[in-house]
Amino acid sequence: MAQQTLTRGTARRRTRLPRRLALLMRPELPSLAQEIIDEVRRSIPEYGRPLKGPYVEALRIGVERALKDFVDRVANPLEPSERHHETYRRLGRFEAQEGRTLDTLQAALRIGAQVAWRRIMKVGPRRRVSPEVMAQLADALFAYIDELAALALEGYMAARPDGEVEAHRRRLLELLLRRDGSPRLLAEAAERAGWTIPDEATAVVAPPGARYVRAALDEDVLADLTATQPFLVVPGKPTPERRRSLHRVLPDGQIVIGLTVPVAGVGDSLRWARCALGLVETGVLGDAPETDCEEHLITLWLLSDQALIDQLAHRHLGEMDGFSPRQRDRLLETLRAWLVTRGTANDIARELGIHPQTVRYRMRQVEGVLGDRLTDREARFAIEAVLRAMRLRERAAGPPEPPAAGAGRDDAAARKQAPIDKHPIPDRHDMSS
């Protein structure tokens, strides 16, 4: 049977959060702990036993200490966090000594994270926590759950006869995902783990909480199946046979395959695969059982930093906010078609299903606002990138609302301002003139 490996939790840098969040969260802890315990006991038969049983007592201690430790970290990010680590290692040892797998404990951690996040989504907006801070809090919460899973795995593997080999494989995966690991350390860790370092490797990820079959894992694949987002590192480029094997490990479908890269860059492959998984979950990419990053490179690039795209949009298109939302959408749609096709007004009109005079009218409006930016190559490139990214985002938002009454008003305005005759005067936006 293939080996299980350490999650990235302990190596992941902690997210710095506003310390005031700790004040908002502490009053919620007692009721949240009870809600998590109730949900775990309802969902997992092993924890549904009598209230005084060892499972339930371990659950209670683990939940209460985990919540307190997490809030303490928010209150003081510099405070040492090792004091509760032994609790979670002990939970892992308990599972091994009872002759069970870690599946039950991992399921409990996933449920705890889900219940905690539901509470955050309920309380955060009510207490005016910004969307940006909510996103940071989500990252910190799931990274913390990964860390708890890693500690439980340490205790579990230490209590098993083959724990030493597993520890070496966990260390190897840590080094592979770090950029500061030396080739010598990597080679030594690979030798101890019995893993041949390939020239190239590919990261593969699955959705949070995905069910997995550890016994189906190939010996040469490194994996952290206990992470919030389970992931694997596959030697070389996944062949059709390997892909079938991956679906046996993660039988519920939906895996995302990263780019095949030199083994030193496997952390990048994992980052891109996680980015693609996020785009699958938001509807930007299709909801297929298998998504290959190689087929979506431009989309990944354009949406890899959406906050930066927003900044570019503000700097290059901020003046367009002076129009009504519907006017702005039409003008930007026409501008995007002009930038992408570099065609004539007739070409753009055919693509958009409008009259050529409407194209000219809209482009004169755009030019009046953006001015020389339309003749500056750098600015044009930035604007085109922003508009392409905005269009990709719209896929996730679904179809636009039907036009309101008077939606064709700019067509009428175009005809009134520039009556159509047999020989319309060409302008700079008609690329054939």
Side-chain angles (χ1 to χ4, degrees), residues 13 30 108 111 115 138 150 161 191 223 248 294 318 327 334 343 388 420:
R13 188 184 307 171
I111 291 171
V115 172
E191 183 178 0
R248 287 194 293 271
E294 283 193 354
Q327 280 181 303
T334 306
R388 284 176 181 263
I420 302 170

Side-chain angles (χ1 to χ4, degrees), residues 14-17 19 72-80:
R14 293 185 197 169
T15 302
R16 285 191 173 275
L17 293 162
R19 296 187 179 188
D72 286 346
R73 291 188 185 193
V74 174
N76 183 7
L78 300 179
E79 183 178 349

